[in-house]
C-alpha cells in the first residue's frame, strides 16, 4: 500500500512549523512535500534590522532542505487547486509548470501587502514583507543620503533626506526607529554640505503609535521615536503619492523620494479561488484547523480564520506568534487524520509582544508585564533568539559586532525598484526579466490599471536610448522605418506575419532576413555580397527605397534620424533572443552590426534591464 501524500503550500511561520512537526510525527509513514517560492524560511520580525544594516540577510533565513531532512522541497508558486482531483498546480522559478497530487493539503500561503485606493501609492511606494524589499530599502536609503551629501541644492537635499513611513504598527514603528539611527550614523561620518540632517516621518490614521499594544508601551515607543527626531503624525495618512513627494490628508505636501508602505497585510489571494466560505479574506476553518466539509483540506497562518477559543466569537489575529503555534496543532491534526495520534483544538493566549526600537531601546510586555529601556531590549532580543529555528549564534555575533563596530553603509545594487513592486503577489521573490507572473486571481486587470492578474504589477520595460518607455515591458516592436517601439506618423506598425514575428531590439532597426520562403540574407553563405564590400553591390531595400551609400554604422547615434520607408515583405521578420548584448541566430553574421546602446542590456534570464520610467514620465530614483 502506498504511503499517504501530504502537500504543504507555503513555508512561513505556519507552513514551516507544520512541515517540521509532521516529519517528526509520521517517521517515514507519509510522503511530505513542501511547495514554496524560496528555499528558506524567513524570520520576519528581524527584517527591519536587515534594512538598517545590523544583520546580514542570511542571518534571518533558515535553509528548508537543511532543516527539514525528511521533507521534499519543491520550488514554485501555487497557481490553482483542484479539490475534486486532489491536485495543486504550480509554476517553477524558471517558468516550468507542474502538478502535485495530494491526500492531505495544508494551506499556509501567508499574506501579501495590503493596498488602499490611494492615487500613486502602487507606483511609488514599496512594501516591507520580504527579503528583497528589505535589501532594496537599505540600498535606496543609503543612496539617497549619499546623493544628498553631494548636492549643494538645499531643496534637493531636503527631499532626498526625507523618508516617509506609512503605518505605525509593529513593522512601521521598527522601520522608522532603526532607519533614523542608520541615517544619523551616515551623516555623522559624512556631513552634508547644506548642513541639513535626515528627516523620518511616521504616519498613521490611528490615534497613537502601536495601537494594538498596551497604552503604556505605545507611549514608550512614541517617546523613543521623538527623541530620535522622528516626525510622528497620528491621525494623518497619504492622500496622493508622486515621484517627487506625497500629499497628506491634512493638505501638507512633503517632498520626498522614499515612501515605505507598512499599512498592513492581507491574506494571500490564492485562497479566494477555492470558492469556500471566507471570513475577512481568510479561509474559514474549525478549531481543529480543518475546512468544514473538506476532510482532506487544512489551513493555518494568515490565510486561515481560526476561532479564538479564549475569546468566543472572535478569530485569532494575523501575528507570527499565532501562526507558529497554528503550525504545530495543524501538524498534529493532519497526523491524526492518518491514524497517528489524536486531534486537538487550537487554544492559545497571547504571551505578550516585543518591539525592537534599535540600540538598547525596546518596548515589551512579556506575560502582561510592561517594560521599557535596556531591560526591555534584553527581553526582546532574548525572545527572538529563542523563537528563531536556526542561526542563533550568527545573529548574536552580528549584534555583538554592531555594538562595537560602525555599520557598513554601502549600496550593493542587487535589487532594483522595479523588482519589488508594492502590488506583487509574491513579496518574498524579487521580480526578474522573463519570470512568469503569479496569477492568484481569475479576473482580468482593469483597463489602463497596469496590474497583472493576481495582484501583481505588469513588468515595466527598459528605457529606450531616446528616453521613451517601451510599453508592456517587452522590447519595442519595429515600426516602418525600423525604429523600435515607435510608430511613424501616418503609417501603421508592421504586423506579425504568419510563421514569424517582428524582430525585437535589433541593432540598426532592420528586420532579420534569411527566413524560409524569402531571399537569403546578405553577407551569409549562399547569399548576395554585403554592401560596401570588395566585389559587392550596394545594399538594397533601404528605407526610402534608395541604396545606402557611405552611411554610418548607427544612423541614430550619428544624430541622423532614419526616414520613413516601406515595410519589408512578409516573412522577413523573425524573433531573436538576446543574451548579454549578443543576438542568437541560425547563422552568425559576418558583420555583427552596430553596438547596442550603452548601458542598455536586453532583458534576459541573467541581466536586469536598464532604467525604468515611472508612470509620471520621470525615471525612478537610483535606477539609472
Amino acid at each position: 500500500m502506498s504511503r499517504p501524500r501530504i502537500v504543504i503550500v507555503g513555508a512561513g511561520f505556519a507552513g514551516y512549523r507544520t512541515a517540521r512537526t509532521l516529519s517528526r510525527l509520521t517517521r517515514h509513514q507519509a510522503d511530505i512535500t513542501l511547495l514554496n517560492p524560496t528555499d528558506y524560511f524567513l524570520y520576519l520580525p528581524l527584517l527591519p534590522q536587515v534594512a538598517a544594516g545590523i544583520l546580514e540577510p542570511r542571518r534571518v533565513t533558515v535553509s528548508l532542505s537543511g532543516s527539514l531532512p525528511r521533507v521534499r522541497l519543491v520550488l514554485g508558486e501555487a497557481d490553482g487547486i483542484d479539490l475534486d482531483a486532489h491536485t495543486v498546480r504550480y509554476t517553477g522559478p524558471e517558468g516550468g509548470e507542474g502538478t502535485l497530487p495530494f491526500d492531505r493539503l495544508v494551506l499556509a500561503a501567508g499574506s501579501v501587502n495590503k493596498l488602499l485606493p490611494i492615487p500613486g501609492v502602487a507606483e511609488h511606494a514599496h512594501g516591507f514583507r520580504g527579503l528583497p524589499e528589505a535589501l532594496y530599502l537599505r540600498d535606496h536609503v543609503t543612496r539617497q543620503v549619499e546623493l544628498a551629501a553631494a548636492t549643494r541644492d538645499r531643496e534637493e537635499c531636503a527631499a532626498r533626506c526625507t523618508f516617509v513611513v506609512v503605518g505605525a504598527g509593529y513593522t512601521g514603528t521598527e522601520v522608522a526607529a532603526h532607519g533614523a539611527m542608520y541615517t544619523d550614523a551616515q551623516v555623522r561620518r559624512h556631513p552634508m554640505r547644506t548642513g541639513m540632517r535626515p528627516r523620518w516621518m511616521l504616519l498613521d490614521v490611528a490615534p497613537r503609535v502601536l495601537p494594538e499594544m498596551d497604552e503604556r508601551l505605545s507611549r514608550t515607543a512614541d517617546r523613543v521615536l521623538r527623541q530620535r527626531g522622528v516626525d510622528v503624525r497620528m491621525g494623518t495618512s497619504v492622500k496622493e503619492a508622486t515621484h517627487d513627494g506625497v500629499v497628506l490628508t491634512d493638505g501638507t505636501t512633503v517632498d520626498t523620494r522614499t515612501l515605505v508602505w507598512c499599512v498592513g497585510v492581507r491574506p494571500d489571494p490564492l485562497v479566494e479561488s477555492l470558492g469556500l466560505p471566507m471570513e475577512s479574506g481568510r479561509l474559514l476553518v474549525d478549531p481543529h484547523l480543518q475546512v468544514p466539509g473538506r476532510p482532506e483540506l487544512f489551513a493555518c497562518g494568515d490565510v486561515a480564520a481560526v476561532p479564538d477559543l479564549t475569546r468566543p466569537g472572535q478569530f485569532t489575529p494575523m501575528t507570527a506568534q499565532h501562526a507558529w503555534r497554528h503550525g504545530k496543532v495543524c501538524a498534529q491534526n493532519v497526523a491524526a487524520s492518518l491514524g497517528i495520534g489524536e486531534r486537538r483544538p487550537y487554544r492559545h493566549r497571547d504571551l505578550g509582544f516585543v518591539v525592537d526600537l534599535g540600540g538598547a531601546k525596546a518596548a515589551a510586555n512579556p506575560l502582561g508585564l510592561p517594560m521599557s529601556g535596556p531591560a526591555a531590549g534584553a527581553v526582546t532580543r532574548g525572545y527572538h533568539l529563542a523563537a528563531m529555528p536556526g542561526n542563533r549564534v550568527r545573529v548574536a555575533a552580528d549584534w555583538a559586532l554592531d555594538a562595537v563596530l560602525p555599520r557598513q553603509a554601502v549600496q550593493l545594487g542587487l535589487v532594483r525598484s522595479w523588482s519589488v513592486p508594492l502590488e506583487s503577489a509574491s513579496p518574498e521573490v524579487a521580480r526578474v526579466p522573463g519570470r512568469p507572473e503569479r496569477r492568484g486571481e481569475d479576473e482580468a486587470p482593469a483597463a489602463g490599471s497596469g496590474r497583472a492578474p493576481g495582484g501583481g504589477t505588469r513588468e515595466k520595460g527598459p528605457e529606450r536610448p531616446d528616453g521613451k518607455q517601451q510599453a508592456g515591458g517587452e522590447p519595442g516592436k519595429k515600426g516602418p522605418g525600423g525604429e523600435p517601439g515607435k510608430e511613424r506618423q501616418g503609417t501603421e506598425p508592421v504586423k506579425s506575419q504568419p510563421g514569424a514575428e517582428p524582430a525585437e531590439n535589433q541593432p540598426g532597426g532592420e528586420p532579420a532576413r534569411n527566413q524560409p520562403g524569402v531571399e537569403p540574407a546578405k553577407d551569409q553563405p549562399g547569399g548576395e555580397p554585403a554592401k560596401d564590400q570588395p566585389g559587392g553591390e550596394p545594399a538594397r531595400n533601404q528605407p526610402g527605397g534608395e541604396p545606402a551609400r557611405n552611411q554610418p554604422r548607427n544612423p541614430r547615434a550619428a544624430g541622423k534620424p532614419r526616414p520613413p520607408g516601406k515595410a519589408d515583405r512578409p516573412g522577413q521578420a523573425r524573433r531573436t533572443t538576446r543574451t548579454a548584448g549578443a543576438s542568437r541566430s541560425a547563422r552568425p553574421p559576418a558583420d555583427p552590426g552596430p553596438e547596442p546602446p550603452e548601458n542598455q542590456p536586453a532583458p534576459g534570464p541573467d541581466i536586469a534591464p536598464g532604467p525604468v520610467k515611472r508612470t509620471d514620465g520621470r525615471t525612478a530614483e537610483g535606477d539609472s
Side-chain angles (χ1 to χ4, degrees), residues 76 108 155 271 339 435 476:
E155 293 184 359
V271 297
R435 182 176 178 272

Side-chain angles (χ1 to χ4, degrees), residues 204-361:
D204 202 312
V205 295
R208 57 187 176 90
V209 176
L210 298 173
E212 310 92 343
M213 298 185 67
D214 183 85
E215 189 172 354
R216 288 172 291 184
L217 300 180
S218 177
R219 288 198 299 266
T220 298
D222 187 273
R223 182 177 65 254
V224 172
L225 290 172
R226 295 182 186 276
Q227 288 175 351
R228 292 181 183 167
V230 178
D231 185 359
V232 181
R233 298 191 185 186
M234 295 295 97
T236 307
S237 188
V238 174
K239 181 179 179 181
E240 182 182 359
T242 65
H243 173 68
D244 296 324
V246 294
V247 179
L248 306 184
T249 53
D250 60 3
T252 307
T253 300
V254 179
D255 294 334
T256 181
R257 302 291 190 272
T258 308
L259 180 59
V260 187
W261 192 255
C262 302
V263 170
V265 295
R266 61 186 177 94
D268 192 288
L270 173 67
V271 297
E272 299 176 2
S273 62
L274 298 178
L276 297 174
M278 309 285 290
E279 175 64 35
S280 301
R282 296 191 284 174
L283 192 61
L284 191 63
V285 299
D286 59 21
H288 299 90
L289 307 180
Q290 194 169 21
V291 177
R294 290 287 181 176
E296 77 283 2
L297 181 59
F298 295 79
C300 54
D302 290 349
V303 299
V306 182
D308 191 345
L309 299 182
T310 63
R311 298 181 299 171
Q314 301 187 35
F315 298 92
T316 57
M318 298 168 60
T319 63
Q321 184 179 144
H322 280 287
W324 185 252
R325 288 162 177 80
H326 283 176
K328 181 179 180 180
V329 175
C330 184
Q332 293 172 340
N333 292 334
V334 171
S337 70
L338 301 175
I340 305 173
E342 297 181 356
R343 292 206 313 167
R344 53 171 294 188
Y346 178 77
R347 184 188 300 270
H348 173 70
R349 189 181 300 274
D350 289 334
L351 301 178
F353 300 95
V354 294
V355 179
D356 190 346
L357 300 176
K361 302 297 181 64

Side-chain angles (χ1 to χ4, degrees), residues 146-230:
E146 292 173 348
L147 292 175
T151 184
R152 297 183 182 274
D153 188 339
R154 291 186 62 85
E155 293 184 359
E156 179 184 354
C157 181
R160 294 189 182 280
C161 285
T162 301
F163 307 95
V164 179
V165 181
V166 185
Y170 298 104
T171 302
T173 300
E174 290 186 345
V175 167
H178 283 282
M181 293 186 63
Y182 180 61
T183 54
D184 285 345
Q186 283 186 269
V187 173
R188 282 196 298 268
R189 298 180 63 184
H190 303 286
M192 298 184 182
R193 296 183 179 184
T194 59
M196 305 185 69
R197 298 189 63 82
R199 174 194 181 193
W200 284 79
M201 298 182 64
L202 181 62
L203 313 176
D204 202 312
V205 295
R208 57 187 176 90
V209 176
L210 298 173
E212 310 92 343
M213 298 185 67
D214 183 85
E215 189 172 354
R216 288 172 291 184
L217 300 180
S218 177
R219 288 198 299 266
T220 298
D222 187 273
R223 182 177 65 254
V224 172
L225 290 172
R226 295 182 186 276
Q227 288 175 351
R228 292 181 183 167
V230 178

Side-chain angles (χ1 to χ4, degrees), residues 97-168:
E97 298 181 352
T99 302
L100 296 176
F102 64 83
D103 298 306
R104 298 291 186 273
L105 176 63
V106 179
L107 290 179
S111 55
V112 297
N113 292 310
K114 180 180 180 180
L115 298 179
L116 298 177
I118 300 176
V121 167
E123 293 81 9
H124 304 291
H126 290 280
F128 202 80
R129 288 291 299 167
L131 195 57
E133 293 173 321
L135 293 177
Y136 165 75
L137 182 61
R138 184 169 70 176
D139 278 1
H140 177 77
V141 170
T142 303
R143 177 168 58 252
Q144 296 307 311
V145 174
E146 292 173 348
L147 292 175
T151 184
R152 297 183 182 274
D153 188 339
R154 291 186 62 85
E155 293 184 359
E156 179 184 354
C157 181
R160 294 189 182 280
C161 285
T162 301
F163 307 95
V164 179
V165 181
V166 185

